[in-house]
Amino acid sequence: MGKVYPEIDGRLRDFIGAQPLFFVATAPSGAEGHVNVSPKGMRGTFVILGPHRVAYLDYHGSGAETIAHLRDNGRITLMFCAFDGPPKIVRLHGRGTTVAVTEDAFADRLADFPAPPDVHAVRAVVTVEVERVSDSCGYAVPLMDFRAERDLLLTSHSRRSSEDLVDYRATKNAASIDGLPVF
């Protein structure tokens, strides 16, 4: 049986920081629309800002569901799984907000990340006010070995100029798959 914690304490902070991969889940309001789950990785793209606050860097990608869903209702869950060591899953439930690269506050939010990888293609910083912290066993999560970070996201965007990324947001990230506005 899982446990609910009052906050992200030192032990949970260490566990979360050791995971090279986490998942983000959001959904639009109402009964219609698609639930979205996205894997996130890359060292330096996730920070714990306090016992009830976390943030991650959101890079340009094939979709922008998370940003659209957060604009719609703010609901978000982040999940971290242990793929080595003792079996454990940690979930952070909360309310998320985004600050897009085009907003004045973006530089301030980016400064929260002490060692980010190349930030050229970051389209937003997602900040989560964590309302519930829980864990569960993770007995069915497979044991896997981490080999290396992938650099494809960074290298693919390194070929794009800032103007190209503006166009990318306008053409490929303007709306979610359910038609919700993103930016």
Side-chain angles (χ1 to χ4, degrees), residues 4-64:
V4 176
Y5 298 87
E7 63 185 25
I8 303 168
D9 63 16
R11 191 172 54 82
L12 290 171
R13 178 185 289 266
D14 292 345
F15 173 81
I16 290 168
Q19 306 316 311
L21 169 72
F22 65 98
F23 300 89
V24 175
T26 59
S29 297
E32 300 300 316
H34 296 83
V35 174
N36 188 62
V37 179
S38 294
K40 304 292 181 187
M42 293 195 298
R43 295 281 177 205
T45 63
F46 181 86
V47 293
I48 297 174
L49 300 170
H52 296 280
R53 193 167 191 236
V54 300
Y56 70 89
L57 300 177
D58 185 65
Y59 285 79
H60 288 82
S62 56

Short mmCIF file of all heavy atoms in Angstrom, two decimals, residues 4-64:
data_model
loop_
_atom_site.label_atom_id
_atom_site.label_comp_id
_atom_site.label_asym_id
_atom_site.label_seq_id
_atom_site.Cartn_x
_atom_site.Cartn_y
_atom_site.Cartn_z
N VAL A 4 1.01 8.59 1.62
CA VAL A 4 0.89 10.00 1.25
C VAL A 4 1.79 10.78 2.20
O VAL A 4 1.79 10.56 3.41
CB VAL A 4 -0.57 10.49 1.35
CG1 VAL A 4 -0.66 11.98 1.07
CG2 VAL A 4 -1.45 9.70 0.38
N TYR A 5 2.57 11.70 1.64
CA TYR A 5 3.53 12.49 2.41
C TYR A 5 3.07 13.93 2.49
O TYR A 5 2.43 14.44 1.57
CB TYR A 5 4.91 12.44 1.73
CG TYR A 5 5.49 11.06 1.65
CD1 TYR A 5 5.19 10.22 0.58
CD2 TYR A 5 6.32 10.57 2.64
CE1 TYR A 5 5.72 8.94 0.49
CE2 TYR A 5 6.86 9.30 2.58
CZ TYR A 5 6.54 8.49 1.50
OH TYR A 5 7.07 7.22 1.42
N PRO A 6 3.42 14.62 3.57
CA PRO A 6 3.01 16.02 3.69
C PRO A 6 3.77 16.95 2.74
O PRO A 6 3.30 18.05 2.44
CB PRO A 6 3.31 16.37 5.15
CG PRO A 6 4.32 15.38 5.59
CD PRO A 6 4.08 14.13 4.78
N GLU A 7 4.93 16.49 2.25
CA GLU A 7 5.76 17.32 1.38
C GLU A 7 6.84 16.48 0.73
O GLU A 7 7.03 15.31 1.06
CB GLU A 7 6.39 18.46 2.18
CG GLU A 7 7.35 17.98 3.26
CD GLU A 7 7.88 19.10 4.11
OE1 GLU A 7 7.22 20.15 4.22
OE2 GLU A 7 8.98 18.94 4.67
N ILE A 8 7.58 17.10 -0.17
CA ILE A 8 8.76 16.46 -0.77
C ILE A 8 9.89 16.67 0.23
O ILE A 8 10.47 17.76 0.32
CB ILE A 8 9.11 17.09 -2.13
CG1 ILE A 8 7.93 17.03 -3.09
CG2 ILE A 8 10.34 16.42 -2.72
CD1 ILE A 8 8.10 17.87 -4.34
N ASP A 9 10.19 15.63 1.00
CA ASP A 9 11.24 15.73 2.01
C ASP A 9 12.59 15.31 1.42
O ASP A 9 12.69 15.02 0.22
CB ASP A 9 10.87 14.90 3.24
CG ASP A 9 10.75 13.40 2.95
OD1 ASP A 9 11.23 12.93 1.89
OD2 ASP A 9 10.18 12.69 3.79
N GLY A 10 13.61 15.27 2.24
CA GLY A 10 14.96 14.96 1.77
C GLY A 10 15.08 13.61 1.09
O GLY A 10 15.74 13.48 0.06
N ARG A 11 14.46 12.57 1.66
CA ARG A 11 14.53 11.23 1.08
C ARG A 11 13.84 11.18 -0.28
O ARG A 11 14.36 10.61 -1.24
CB ARG A 11 13.91 10.23 2.05
CG ARG A 11 14.14 8.78 1.70
CD ARG A 11 13.66 7.86 2.81
NE ARG A 11 12.27 8.08 3.17
CZ ARG A 11 11.22 7.59 2.52
NH1 ARG A 11 11.40 6.87 1.45
NH2 ARG A 11 9.99 7.84 2.94
N LEU A 12 12.66 11.80 -0.37
CA LEU A 12 11.95 11.84 -1.65
C LEU A 12 12.70 12.70 -2.65
O LEU A 12 12.76 12.38 -3.84
CB LEU A 12 10.53 12.37 -1.45
CG LEU A 12 9.57 11.43 -0.71
CD1 LEU A 12 8.28 12.14 -0.38
CD2 LEU A 12 9.32 10.17 -1.52
N ARG A 13 13.28 13.79 -2.19
CA ARG A 13 14.08 14.66 -3.06
C ARG A 13 15.24 13.86 -3.67
O ARG A 13 15.50 13.95 -4.87
CB ARG A 13 14.63 15.83 -2.25
CG ARG A 13 15.51 16.77 -3.03
CD ARG A 13 16.10 17.84 -2.14
NE ARG A 13 15.11 18.80 -1.71
CZ ARG A 13 14.86 19.95 -2.34
NH1 ARG A 13 15.56 20.29 -3.39
NH2 ARG A 13 13.93 20.77 -1.90
N ASP A 14 15.90 13.05 -2.86
CA ASP A 14 17.01 12.23 -3.37
C ASP A 14 16.52 11.21 -4.39
O ASP A 14 17.15 11.00 -5.43
CB ASP A 14 17.71 11.51 -2.21
CG ASP A 14 18.47 12.46 -1.30
OD1 ASP A 14 18.70 13.64 -1.69
OD2 ASP A 14 18.82 12.04 -0.18
N PHE A 15 15.39 10.56 -4.10
CA PHE A 15 14.83 9.57 -5.02
C PHE A 15 14.48 10.22 -6.35
O PHE A 15 14.87 9.74 -7.42
CB PHE A 15 13.58 8.90 -4.42
CG PHE A 15 12.88 8.00 -5.40
CD1 PHE A 15 13.33 6.72 -5.63
CD2 PHE A 15 11.78 8.46 -6.12
CE1 PHE A 15 12.71 5.90 -6.57
CE2 PHE A 15 11.15 7.65 -7.04
CZ PHE A 15 11.61 6.36 -7.27
N ILE A 16 13.76 11.32 -6.30
CA ILE A 16 13.34 12.02 -7.52
C ILE A 16 14.56 12.46 -8.33
O ILE A 16 14.63 12.28 -9.54
CB ILE A 16 12.42 13.21 -7.18
CG1 ILE A 16 11.06 12.69 -6.69
CG2 ILE A 16 12.26 14.15 -8.37
CD1 ILE A 16 10.18 13.75 -6.05
N GLY A 17 15.54 13.02 -7.65
CA GLY A 17 16.74 13.49 -8.33
C GLY A 17 17.56 12.40 -8.98
O GLY A 17 18.31 12.65 -9.93
N ALA A 18 17.43 11.17 -8.51
CA ALA A 18 18.19 10.05 -9.06
C ALA A 18 17.56 9.44 -10.30
O ALA A 18 18.20 8.65 -11.00
CB ALA A 18 18.36 8.96 -7.99
N GLN A 19 16.30 9.81 -10.60
CA GLN A 19 15.62 9.18 -11.73
C GLN A 19 15.93 9.92 -13.03
O GLN A 19 15.73 11.12 -13.12
CB GLN A 19 14.11 9.15 -11.49
CG GLN A 19 13.70 8.50 -10.18
CD GLN A 19 14.43 7.21 -9.87
OE1 GLN A 19 14.54 6.32 -10.71
NE2 GLN A 19 14.97 7.13 -8.66
N PRO A 20 16.42 9.21 -14.05
CA PRO A 20 16.74 9.87 -15.32
C PRO A 20 15.52 10.11 -16.22
O PRO A 20 15.64 10.73 -17.27
CB PRO A 20 17.69 8.88 -15.99
CG PRO A 20 17.28 7.54 -15.44
CD PRO A 20 16.82 7.81 -14.02
N LEU A 21 14.36 9.64 -15.78
CA LEU A 21 13.14 9.72 -16.59
C LEU A 21 11.95 9.96 -15.67
O LEU A 21 11.89 9.41 -14.56
CB LEU A 21 12.94 8.38 -17.33
CG LEU A 21 11.63 8.13 -18.04
CD1 LEU A 21 11.50 8.98 -19.28
CD2 LEU A 21 11.52 6.65 -18.40
N PHE A 22 11.02 10.81 -16.10
CA PHE A 22 9.76 10.95 -15.40
C PHE A 22 8.66 11.13 -16.43
O PHE A 22 8.92 11.39 -17.61
CB PHE A 22 9.79 12.10 -14.37
CG PHE A 22 9.96 13.48 -14.92
CD1 PHE A 22 8.87 14.31 -15.11
CD2 PHE A 22 11.22 13.97 -15.22
CE1 PHE A 22 9.03 15.61 -15.60
CE2 PHE A 22 11.40 15.25 -15.70
CZ PHE A 22 10.30 16.08 -15.89
N PHE A 23 7.43 10.97 -15.99
CA PHE A 23 6.28 11.07 -16.87
C PHE A 23 5.38 12.20 -16.39
O PHE A 23 5.22 12.41 -15.19
CB PHE A 23 5.49 9.75 -16.88
CG PHE A 23 6.29 8.58 -17.36
CD1 PHE A 23 7.04 7.82 -16.48
CD2 PHE A 23 6.32 8.26 -18.71
CE1 PHE A 23 7.79 6.75 -16.92
CE2 PHE A 23 7.06 7.18 -19.16
CZ PHE A 23 7.81 6.42 -18.27
N VAL A 24 4.77 12.91 -17.35
CA VAL A 24 3.86 14.00 -17.07
C VAL A 24 2.50 13.62 -17.65
O VAL A 24 2.41 13.25 -18.83
CB VAL A 24 4.37 15.31 -17.73
CG1 VAL A 24 3.36 16.43 -17.55
CG2 VAL A 24 5.72 15.70 -17.16
N ALA A 25 1.44 13.73 -16.84
CA ALA A 25 0.09 13.41 -17.29
C ALA A 25 -0.82 14.61 -17.09
O ALA A 25 -0.80 15.24 -16.03
CB ALA A 25 -0.45 12.20 -16.53
N THR A 26 -1.59 14.92 -18.13
CA THR A 26 -2.58 15.99 -18.09
C THR A 26 -3.79 15.56 -18.91
O THR A 26 -3.72 14.62 -19.70
CB THR A 26 -2.02 17.31 -18.67
OG1 THR A 26 -1.62 17.09 -20.03
CG2 THR A 26 -0.86 17.85 -17.86
N ALA A 27 -4.88 16.29 -18.74
CA ALA A 27 -6.09 16.02 -19.53
C ALA A 27 -6.90 17.30 -19.63
O ALA A 27 -6.87 18.14 -18.73
CB ALA A 27 -6.93 14.93 -18.87
N PRO A 28 -7.65 17.45 -20.72
CA PRO A 28 -8.52 18.62 -20.84
C PRO A 28 -9.70 18.50 -19.90
O PRO A 28 -9.99 17.43 -19.37
CB PRO A 28 -8.96 18.58 -22.30
CG PRO A 28 -8.88 17.14 -22.68
CD PRO A 28 -7.74 16.58 -21.89
N SER A 29 -10.40 19.59 -19.68
CA SER A 29 -11.60 19.58 -18.85
C SER A 29 -12.71 18.80 -19.55
O SER A 29 -12.73 18.69 -20.77
CB SER A 29 -12.09 21.01 -18.61
OG SER A 29 -11.14 21.74 -17.89
N GLY A 30 -13.64 18.28 -18.78
CA GLY A 30 -14.80 17.60 -19.34
C GLY A 30 -14.55 16.16 -19.70
O GLY A 30 -13.46 15.63 -19.50
N ALA A 31 -15.58 15.55 -20.24
CA ALA A 31 -15.52 14.13 -20.56
C ALA A 31 -14.88 13.84 -21.91
O ALA A 31 -14.49 12.72 -22.20
CB ALA A 31 -16.93 13.54 -20.56
N GLU A 32 -14.77 14.84 -22.75
CA GLU A 32 -14.20 14.66 -24.09
C GLU A 32 -12.70 14.98 -24.06
O GLU A 32 -12.20 15.57 -23.13
CB GLU A 32 -14.90 15.56 -25.10
CG GLU A 32 -16.38 15.30 -25.22
CD GLU A 32 -16.70 13.88 -25.67
OE1 GLU A 32 -16.02 13.40 -26.61
OE2 GLU A 32 -17.60 13.27 -25.10
N GLY A 33 -12.03 14.62 -25.13
CA GLY A 33 -10.62 14.95 -25.25
C GLY A 33 -9.72 13.80 -24.83
O GLY A 33 -10.17 12.79 -24.31
N HIS A 34 -8.46 13.98 -25.08
CA HIS A 34 -7.47 12.94 -24.86
C HIS A 34 -6.65 13.20 -23.60
O HIS A 34 -6.20 14.32 -23.37
CB HIS A 34 -6.52 12.86 -26.05
CG HIS A 34 -7.19 12.46 -27.31
ND1 HIS A 34 -7.87 13.35 -28.11
CD2 HIS A 34 -7.31 11.25 -27.90
CE1 HIS A 34 -8.37 12.71 -29.16
NE2 HIS A 34 -8.05 11.43 -29.05
N VAL A 35 -6.44 12.16 -22.81
CA VAL A 35 -5.49 12.22 -21.71
C VAL A 35 -4.11 12.12 -22.33
O VAL A 35 -3.88 11.30 -23.23
CB VAL A 35 -5.72 11.06 -20.72
CG1 VAL A 35 -4.65 11.04 -19.65
CG2 VAL A 35 -7.11 11.15 -20.10
N ASN A 36 -3.19 12.94 -21.89
CA ASN A 36 -1.84 12.93 -22.44
C ASN A 36 -0.84 12.50 -21.37
O ASN A 36 -0.90 12.96 -20.24
CB ASN A 36 -1.46 14.32 -22.95
CG ASN A 36 -0.15 14.28 -23.69
OD1 ASN A 36 -0.01 13.63 -24.71
ND2 ASN A 36 0.84 14.98 -23.15
N VAL A 37 0.06 11.60 -21.75
CA VAL A 37 1.17 11.20 -20.89
C VAL A 37 2.44 11.35 -21.71
O VAL A 37 2.54 10.80 -22.81
CB VAL A 37 1.03 9.74 -20.41
CG1 VAL A 37 2.22 9.35 -19.54
CG2 VAL A 37 -0.27 9.54 -19.66
N SER A 38 3.38 12.12 -21.19
CA SER A 38 4.63 12.38 -21.92
C SER A 38 5.83 11.99 -21.07
O SER A 38 5.91 12.36 -19.90
CB SER A 38 4.76 13.87 -22.24
OG SER A 38 3.78 14.28 -23.14
N PRO A 39 6.78 11.26 -21.67
CA PRO A 39 8.03 10.99 -20.95
C PRO A 39 8.93 12.22 -21.04
O PRO A 39 8.96 12.91 -22.05
CB PRO A 39 8.62 9.81 -21.72
CG PRO A 39 8.09 9.97 -23.10
CD PRO A 39 6.74 10.61 -22.97
N LYS A 40 9.65 12.48 -19.96
CA LYS A 40 10.60 13.60 -19.92
C LYS A 40 11.92 13.08 -19.37
O LYS A 40 11.96 12.19 -18.52
CB LYS A 40 10.09 14.73 -19.01
CG LYS A 40 8.72 15.27 -19.37
CD LYS A 40 8.74 16.01 -20.68
CE LYS A 40 7.35 16.56 -21.00
NZ LYS A 40 7.30 17.14 -22.32
N GLY A 41 12.99 13.68 -19.84
CA GLY A 41 14.30 13.28 -19.36
C GLY A 41 15.29 14.41 -19.52
O GLY A 41 14.91 15.57 -19.59
N MET A 42 16.53 14.08 -19.60
CA MET A 42 17.69 14.98 -19.71
C MET A 42 18.02 15.60 -18.36
O MET A 42 17.23 16.35 -17.80
CB MET A 42 17.50 16.08 -20.77
CG MET A 42 17.43 15.56 -22.17
SD MET A 42 17.63 16.84 -23.43
CE MET A 42 16.24 17.91 -23.13
N ARG A 43 19.17 15.27 -17.89
CA ARG A 43 19.66 15.85 -16.63
C ARG A 43 19.66 17.37 -16.73
O ARG A 43 19.94 17.94 -17.77
CB ARG A 43 21.07 15.36 -16.33
CG ARG A 43 21.18 13.90 -16.07
CD ARG A 43 20.74 13.57 -14.66
NE ARG A 43 20.81 12.12 -14.48
CZ ARG A 43 20.09 11.49 -13.60
NH1 ARG A 43 19.26 12.14 -12.82
NH2 ARG A 43 20.18 10.19 -13.48
N GLY A 44 19.30 18.00 -15.62
CA GLY A 44 19.30 19.45 -15.56
C GLY A 44 18.02 20.11 -15.99
O GLY A 44 17.91 21.33 -15.94
N THR A 45 17.02 19.32 -16.41
CA THR A 45 15.76 19.90 -16.89
C THR A 45 14.65 19.87 -15.85
O THR A 45 13.56 20.35 -16.12
CB THR A 45 15.26 19.20 -18.16
OG1 THR A 45 14.98 17.83 -17.86
CG2 THR A 45 16.29 19.28 -19.28
N PHE A 46 14.92 19.30 -14.68
CA PHE A 46 13.93 19.22 -13.60
C PHE A 46 14.55 19.75 -12.32
O PHE A 46 15.69 19.41 -12.00
CB PHE A 46 13.48 17.76 -13.40
CG PHE A 46 12.45 17.61 -12.32
CD1 PHE A 46 11.10 17.76 -12.61
CD2 PHE A 46 12.82 17.34 -11.02
CE1 PHE A 46 10.14 17.64 -11.62
CE2 PHE A 46 11.86 17.22 -10.01
CZ PHE A 46 10.52 17.37 -10.31
N VAL A 47 13.80 20.57 -11.59
CA VAL A 47 14.28 21.07 -10.30
C VAL A 47 13.18 21.01 -9.25
O VAL A 47 12.00 21.15 -9.57
CB VAL A 47 14.81 22.53 -10.37
CG1 VAL A 47 16.07 22.62 -11.21
CG2 VAL A 47 13.75 23.49 -10.88
N ILE A 48 13.60 20.77 -8.03
CA ILE A 48 12.71 20.86 -6.89
C ILE A 48 12.95 22.22 -6.27
O ILE A 48 14.06 22.52 -5.82
CB ILE A 48 12.95 19.72 -5.89
CG1 ILE A 48 12.65 18.37 -6.57
CG2 ILE A 48 12.09 19.90 -4.64
CD1 ILE A 48 12.99 17.15 -5.73
N LEU A 49 11.94 23.06 -6.26
CA LEU A 49 12.06 24.44 -5.80
C LEU A 49 11.65 24.62 -4.35
O LEU A 49 11.88 25.68 -3.77
CB LEU A 49 11.21 25.36 -6.68
CG LEU A 49 11.59 25.36 -8.17
CD1 LEU A 49 10.55 26.10 -8.98
CD2 LEU A 49 12.97 25.96 -8.35
N GLY A 50 11.06 23.61 -3.77
CA GLY A 50 10.61 23.67 -2.39
C GLY A 50 9.83 22.42 -2.05
O GLY A 50 9.66 21.54 -2.89
N PRO A 51 9.35 22.30 -0.83
CA PRO A 51 8.65 21.09 -0.42
C PRO A 51 7.32 20.86 -1.14
O PRO A 51 6.80 19.75 -1.14
CB PRO A 51 8.43 21.27 1.08
CG PRO A 51 8.59 22.73 1.33
CD PRO A 51 9.49 23.26 0.26
N HIS A 52 6.81 21.91 -1.81
CA HIS A 52 5.54 21.80 -2.54
C HIS A 52 5.63 22.44 -3.92
O HIS A 52 4.60 22.83 -4.49
CB HIS A 52 4.40 22.46 -1.75
CG HIS A 52 4.13 21.79 -0.45
ND1 HIS A 52 3.40 20.64 -0.35
CD2 HIS A 52 4.52 22.09 0.81
CE1 HIS A 52 3.33 20.27 0.92
NE2 HIS A 52 4.02 21.13 1.63
N ARG A 53 6.83 22.54 -4.46
CA ARG A 53 6.97 23.24 -5.75
C ARG A 53 8.11 22.62 -6.55
O ARG A 53 9.23 22.47 -6.06
CB ARG A 53 7.25 24.71 -5.50
CG ARG A 53 7.11 25.57 -6.71
CD ARG A 53 7.08 27.04 -6.28
NE ARG A 53 6.70 27.85 -7.40
CZ ARG A 53 7.42 28.86 -7.87
NH1 ARG A 53 8.54 29.21 -7.28
NH2 ARG A 53 7.00 29.54 -8.91
N VAL A 54 7.81 22.29 -7.81
CA VAL A 54 8.81 21.75 -8.74
C VAL A 54 8.65 22.44 -10.09
O VAL A 54 7.64 23.09 -10.34
CB VAL A 54 8.67 20.21 -8.91
CG1 VAL A 54 8.86 19.48 -7.58
CG2 VAL A 54 7.33 19.84 -9.54
N ALA A 55 9.64 22.28 -10.94
CA ALA A 55 9.55 22.85 -12.29
C ALA A 55 10.37 22.00 -13.25
O ALA A 55 11.31 21.30 -12.84
CB ALA A 55 10.05 24.29 -12.29
N TYR A 56 10.00 22.07 -14.52
CA TYR A 56 10.81 21.42 -15.54
C TYR A 56 10.79 22.25 -16.82
O TYR A 56 9.90 23.07 -17.05
CB TYR A 56 10.36 19.97 -15.80
CG TYR A 56 9.04 19.79 -16.49
CD1 TYR A 56 8.95 19.74 -17.88
CD2 TYR A 56 7.86 19.65 -15.75
CE1 TYR A 56 7.73 19.56 -18.52
CE2 TYR A 56 6.65 19.45 -16.38
CZ TYR A 56 6.60 19.41 -17.76
OH TYR A 56 5.39 19.24 -18.39
N LEU A 57 11.82 22.03 -17.64
CA LEU A 57 11.94 22.71 -18.92
C LEU A 57 11.16 21.94 -19.97
O LEU A 57 11.33 20.72 -20.11
CB LEU A 57 13.41 22.81 -19.33
CG LEU A 57 14.33 23.56 -18.37
CD1 LEU A 57 15.78 23.51 -18.87
CD2 LEU A 57 13.86 25.00 -18.20
N ASP A 58 10.32 22.64 -20.70
CA ASP A 58 9.51 22.04 -21.75
C ASP A 58 10.08 22.47 -23.10
O ASP A 58 10.06 23.66 -23.43
CB ASP A 58 8.05 22.50 -21.61
CG ASP A 58 7.15 21.82 -22.60
OD1 ASP A 58 7.00 20.58 -22.51
OD2 ASP A 58 6.61 22.51 -23.48
N TYR A 59 10.61 21.51 -23.83
CA TYR A 59 11.23 21.79 -25.12
C TYR A 59 10.22 21.67 -26.26
O TYR A 59 9.21 20.97 -26.13
CB TYR A 59 12.38 20.79 -25.38
CG TYR A 59 13.61 21.09 -24.56
CD1 TYR A 59 13.70 20.74 -23.23
CD2 TYR A 59 14.69 21.75 -25.13
CE1 TYR A 59 14.83 21.02 -22.47
CE2 TYR A 59 15.83 22.03 -24.40
CZ TYR A 59 15.89 21.67 -23.07
OH TYR A 59 17.00 21.97 -22.33
N HIS A 60 10.51 22.34 -27.36
CA HIS A 60 9.68 22.18 -28.55
C HIS A 60 9.62 20.69 -28.89
O HIS A 60 10.63 19.98 -28.78
CB HIS A 60 10.29 22.93 -29.74
CG HIS A 60 10.16 24.41 -29.61
ND1 HIS A 60 11.03 25.17 -28.86
CD2 HIS A 60 9.26 25.27 -30.14
CE1 HIS A 60 10.67 26.43 -28.94
NE2 HIS A 60 9.60 26.52 -29.70
N GLY A 61 8.45 20.24 -29.28
CA GLY A 61 8.29 18.83 -29.60
C GLY A 61 7.16 18.63 -30.57
O GLY A 61 6.60 19.58 -31.11
N SER A 62 6.83 17.36 -30.75
CA SER A 62 5.82 17.02 -31.75
C SER A 62 4.44 17.48 -31.35
O SER A 62 3.57 17.63 -32.20
CB SER A 62 5.84 15.51 -31.99
OG SER A 62 5.66 14.83 -30.77
N GLY A 63 4.20 17.68 -30.08
CA GLY A 63 2.91 18.17 -29.61
C GLY A 63 3.11 19.13 -28.46
O GLY A 63 4.21 19.30 -27.96
N ALA A 64 2.03 19.75 -28.05
CA ALA A 64 2.10 20.70 -26.94
C ALA A 64 0.88 20.51 -26.03
O ALA A 64 0.29 21.46 -25.56
CB ALA A 64 2.19 22.12 -27.46
#
